Each structure stands twice: as C-alpha cells, then as structure tokens.
Amino acid sequence: MGRFDALDELVAKIGAAKPSEWDALRSRLLEATKGFADVKDVIEHLESAKRSISSLEARWEVDEVIEAITPPPEPEPSKEEKPDPNKPLTSADLVLVYDDPRGIRLHKSKVGERWFLTQVDPRTYQPQTFELRPEEVIQIKQQLDGSPYWILGAGA
C-alpha cells in the first residue's frame, strides 16, 4: 500500500462525485493531508493526482485543498527598513556640497549626517578623502561661510 493511497482514493472520489458531494469530499481530503510531515510532497502529489480528473470544476476542489495546505510565502525584507548610517559608503552614497577649484571638496552622505573632506596631499599631489568628526564639520562650515564654492541645493 502506497504512502498516498488514501489521498489518491479521495481525489478519485472527487472526480467521480456529483457537485453536491464535493464539499464533504474536499473536507475529508483536507483532513487526510494533515497526517503527513512533508507538506511539499503532499502538494506535489495532489498536483499530479488531480490530472486524472476530467472535470475542471472537480480539479478546482483539489486546488482548494492545495491552497489550504500551502504554507504562506516567506515575507520579503521590508524595503522601508532604515539603511545603516554607518555602512561603508561609495561615491554614489555621497553628495558634493562644496567644490573649491583650488582642491578642497566636501561631501555629505545622502543618509545620515556623515561628512567627508577631500583635499590634495601636498607631498604626493594625490587627493585624499577622510571622514570628519561632528566638531570638525562645524569648524569647517564656519571657516567656509560666505564662500562662493558652496553648491546650492546640495543640502549643506
């Protein structure tokens, strides 16, 4: 005797029954599925077994059982979760707020309140970028107050 014989018997009865008997048979089939540990195997077997039913409406009765025993999908991570303000940043995460052609640039993170200063190293003539502490941001803003190199609308 096969593992799914009781289910096969009920599916066959649904296929041969009158529509007035479907509710009772569907309930019995649903009850019979509860005795199995692996719901996925039961669903796959019912999907296969219902193909033997010629009546589309009777197949729908089996589909209702399948829907009833199918576990809900895993919830997707919320897209509205707050991004980590301390994650490593890329250039796409920064907004240029100050651009002095003599070599000083200030960037602000799009998320959070992180500020970065880029300036040319006088020894290597290569740009260096480093994160500023909050007190340094206040000091630099005061020093550069009134400068024409602030970028309007950049959120400085």
Side-chain angles (χ1 to χ4, degrees), residues 7-148:
L7 299 180
D8 290 339
E9 184 181 318
L10 288 166
V11 169
K13 285 183 178 180
I14 289 173
K18 298 175 195 164
S20 61
E21 300 170 317
W22 287 344
D23 284 341
L25 288 170
R26 185 182 63 237
S27 296
R28 286 178 53 199
L29 180 60
L30 181 60
E31 194 61 36
T33 63
K34 294 180 181 175
F36 294 92
D38 191 356
V39 175
K40 183 179 173 192
D41 285 348
V42 173
I43 291 170
E44 288 176 8
H45 186 79
L46 289 176
E47 288 285 352
S48 176
K50 77 177 182 182
R51 292 187 188 112
S52 66
I53 301 173
S54 59
S55 165
L56 181 61
E57 291 84 1
R59 284 186 185 189
W60 290 344
E61 297 299 319
V62 177
D63 283 337
E64 286 189 34
V65 172
I66 292 170
E67 287 176 23
I69 65 172
T70 300
E74 291 291 321
E76 292 183 22
S78 173
K79 290 183 172 102
E80 296 184 21
E81 288 181 16
K82 292 184 179 180
D84 180 9
N86 297 316
K87 73 172 180 131
L89 300 176
T90 65
S91 60
D93 297 320
L94 300 176
V95 176
L96 182 65
V97 293
Y98 184 86
D99 189 9
D100 187 330
R102 294 173 288 187
I104 295 177
R105 299 177 100 192
L106 282 176
H107 292 86
K108 181 182 179 300
S109 62
K110 290 179 181 176
V111 176
E113 288 294 321
R114 295 172 68 184
W115 286 75
F116 298 85
L117 174 75
T118 302
Q119 64 185 15
V120 175
D121 183 340
R123 292 168 292 174
T124 63
Y125 300 105
Q126 296 296 315
Q128 289 184 323
T129 301
F130 51 93
E131 187 167 359
L132 299 171
R133 294 187 310 269
E135 59 273 8
E136 292 172 321
V137 173
I138 294 169
Q139 181 184 4
I140 287 176
K141 281 183 171 182
Q142 289 172 345
Q143 288 175 348
L144 299 176
D145 188 36
S147 171

